[in-house]
Amino acid sequence: MMRIKETGKIGLFLAVLFFANGVRAEAASTYDILRVAGFDRVMAEAEYEENAPAADEKNTGLEEDTQQEETIQDAEVLETAQAQKEAKSIANLWGYTNLGIAQVDNHLNVRDKAGEDGELVGKMTKNAACEILSIDGEWAHIKSGKVEGYVHTDYLLTGEDAKQRAAEVVYTVAKVNTTTLKVREQPSTECPVITLVAQDERLEVVEQKPEGWAKIMLDDEEAYVSTDYCVIEQELDTAVTMKELMYGNGISNTRIDLCQYAKQFVGNPYVWGGTSLTKGADCSGFVQSVFRHFGVSLPRSSREQVNVGTKISLADAQPGDLIFYAKGGTINHVALYIGNGQVVHASSPKTGIRISNATYRSPAAVKRVLK
C-alpha cells in the first residue's frame, strides 16, 4: 500500500498515478523534495522555470554592472593608450624630448658655462636642433650632437615654436650601413659608379624611388644609391665642435689661422657661382675666397685649382691642404682639410657651408698649396 502524508494537489496526483502503476512512493510536504527515481530532474526543471524570472532579473543586473565596469575599463585603456601615444610622439620628435632650435642669422655660440665669459665649445648653425636639459634665467643648458654647454635663450626657440620651425627645416638622409656604398649616376647597377661613400656617412635624400633606389645630393649634384645598403631617416642639423685644434709640431700659424677663419663661415649659404663667404659661395668660390684673405691667389674652378700646388697623399694631409673629389674621372668638388680627418666646404644648396669627414666620398686628389 502507498503511504501518503500531507500533500498538495500535485503530490496527490502523482501518488495516484504511481499507485496505479504499482510504484511505491512517498510524497513530502510542499517544502520537501519528492524523491522518485527518474523524476528528480523533471521537478528540478519545473522549480527552475518557476524561479527563472527572479534569477533572470538578478543575472541581468549583474550583466549590466559587468558591462558598465567593462566600459569604464575600456575607457581607461583608451585614455592610457592615447596618453602613451602622445608621450611616444613627444619622445620621438626627431629624437628630442625637449626640443630647442637656434634662431640666428649665422650661428649661436655654445659656451662651457652660463655667461658671456664662458669658453666657446661649439656653435649651433641657423635652425640647428638641441636637447634642452634645463633653463636658468637667460641661459639654457643644452646638448646638440657632440656639443654640450650653454646658450642664451634670446636666440633659442622652444615649445611649439621650436616644433613648427623644425617641421619646416627637417630633412631626409640616407645613413650608410655598409663598409662602402656605391654612388651611381642612375638608379641601376648597370650605371657607372661615381664614387664610394664610407659607412655611417649621411647623404641628403631628394627623392625615394619605389624600386629600391634613393635620389641623393652628392654635394651639388644629383646621384643615386641603393636603399638595400642604407637607412632612410629624418634628422635636424646639430652643433659643430669648436675646440682648439691640436695640430702637432711643424704646423704653421698661417695654416691654423686659415682653418679657424674658414670655420667661422659654417652654416652660411651655398650659391652656385658665388664667392661671398657670407652671402653665398660654391665649393671653389669658398676655397678661393678663404685663401685670398691670406694673400694666396687660386683659380676660380675646382678643375683649375687641382692643377695648383704639390700632389700629396691623404695620409700626409695637413690643415690647410686641399682635397678634391671627382665624378666619372673629372674633378667636380673641392674642400679644405682642417685636420682630425675633417674638411670644411660649401657642399650644396640644402646644407650650405659645412664640416664633413674627409672621406665622406672617395678623394680623387690632395694638393698642398701652402708651404
Side-chain angles (χ1 to χ4, degrees):
M1 295 294 292
M2 181 177 186
R3 294 185 297 108
I4 303 177
K5 293 184 178 180
E6 295 181 358
T7 156
K9 293 181 180 179
I10 296 176
L12 180 60
F13 171 76
L14 290 173
V16 172
L17 180 61
F18 294 157
F19 179 79
N21 287 277
V23 179
R24 187 173 184 274
E26 180 178 0
S29 66
T30 54
Y31 299 100
D32 292 331
I33 300 175
L34 180 64
R35 301 184 182 280
V36 180
F39 282 84
D40 287 349
R41 182 178 59 81
V42 175
M43 295 306 293
E45 290 176 354
E47 182 178 358
Y48 171 78
E49 292 176 357
E50 183 179 351
N51 297 326
D56 287 345
E57 290 177 3
K58 184 176 181 180
N59 290 337
T60 301
L62 290 173
E63 289 176 359
E64 291 177 352
D65 291 343
T66 302
Q67 289 175 354
Q68 290 178 356
E69 290 178 2
E70 290 177 349
T71 301
I72 294 173
Q73 290 174 354
D74 289 344
E76 291 175 348
V77 169
L78 289 173
E79 184 177 351
T80 301
Q82 182 64 25
Q84 291 175 343
K85 182 179 179 181
E86 293 176 357
K88 184 177 180 181
S89 175
I90 295 172
N92 287 284
L93 198 61
W94 303 290
Y96 298 90
T97 56
N98 191 8
L99 178 68
I101 298 291
Q103 183 175 233
V104 289
D105 291 331
N106 293 313
H107 63 267
L108 174 59
N109 291 329
V110 184
R111 302 183 181 277
D112 66 348
K113 63 180 181 179
E116 295 294 340
D117 58 338
E119 181 183 349
L120 186 66
V121 294
K123 67 178 181 178
M124 296 174 63
T125 56
K126 181 180 180 180
N127 294 325
C130 68
E131 179 71 26
I132 301 175
L133 305 176
S134 64
I135 295 180
D136 185 8
E138 297 180 338
W139 291 87
H141 182 198
I142 63 97
K143 182 173 177 60
S144 179
K146 299 178 181 179
V147 178
E148 182 175 344
Y150 296 82
V151 298
H152 202 288
T153 55
D154 285 350
Y155 308 103
L156 191 67
L157 292 177
T158 61
E160 283 299 316
D161 291 336
K163 182 178 179 180
Q164 291 175 9
R165 177 66 60 81
E168 296 171 1
V169 300
V170 68
Y171 54 93
T172 304
V173 298
K175 180 182 177 182
V176 181
N177 62 2
T178 187
T179 304
T180 51
L181 176 65
K182 295 178 180 179
V183 181
R184 301 181 184 272
E185 291 183 351
Q186 296 296 327
S188 170
T189 55
E190 303 298 323
C191 292
V193 175
I194 298 174
T195 189
L196 300 176
V197 178
Q199 188 166 11
D200 294 332
E201 288 292 343
R202 286 169 163 77
L203 302 168
E204 177 193 346
V205 175
V206 177
E207 181 182 357
Q208 200 169 346
K209 297 289 186 178
E211 58 271 22
W213 292 86
K215 181 191 290 186
I216 59 129
M217 290 300 296
L218 187 65
D219 294 319
D220 57 349
E221 294 190 32
E222 293 181 350
Y224 296 85
V225 294
S226 171
T227 54
D228 290 339
Y229 306 102
C230 55
V231 178
I232 307 298
E233 56 189 15
Q234 287 189 316
E235 67 178 32
L236 296 162
D237 285 335
T238 55
V240 292
T241 61
M242 292 294 291
K243 293 180 180 179
E244 188 68 26
L245 295 175
M246 302 301 292
Y247 296 109
N249 296 326
I251 305 301
S252 68
N253 289 334
T254 299
R255 287 177 174 272
I256 295 174
D257 292 343
L258 183 140
C259 291
Q260 293 292 73
Y261 177 75
K263 283 171 58 178
Q264 70 178 300
F265 303 109
V266 169
N268 286 352
Y270 172 100
V271 175
W272 189 86
T275 58
S276 173
L277 297 174
T278 55
K279 295 181 180 180
D282 59 18
C283 65
S284 56
F286 170 71
V287 167
Q288 184 188 51
S289 295
V290 168
F291 274 77
R292 182 188 296 125
H293 182 78
F294 290 86
V296 180
S297 178
L298 290 177
R300 177 63 184 87
S301 72
S302 60
R303 292 183 182 88
E304 296 171 315
Q305 291 173 358
V306 75
N307 296 319
V308 177
T310 304
K311 184 177 181 179
I312 60 173
S313 68
L314 180 62
D316 294 330
Q318 295 180 351
D321 290 335
L322 297 179
I323 299 183
F324 295 87
Y325 305 89
K327 176 183 179 182
T330 302
I331 299 298
N332 70 338
H333 194 72
V334 61
L336 175 65
Y337 186 67
I338 58 174
N340 294 333
Q342 294 183 312
V343 295
V344 59
H345 59 137
S347 178
S348 72
K350 179 71 175 179
T351 59
I353 298 172
R354 67 186 302 188
I355 291 176
S356 302
N357 292 326
T359 55
Y360 78 99
R361 53 187 287 197
S362 302
V366 183
K367 300 300 288 283
R368 176 161 294 165
V369 176
L370 298 175
K371 300 300 184 182

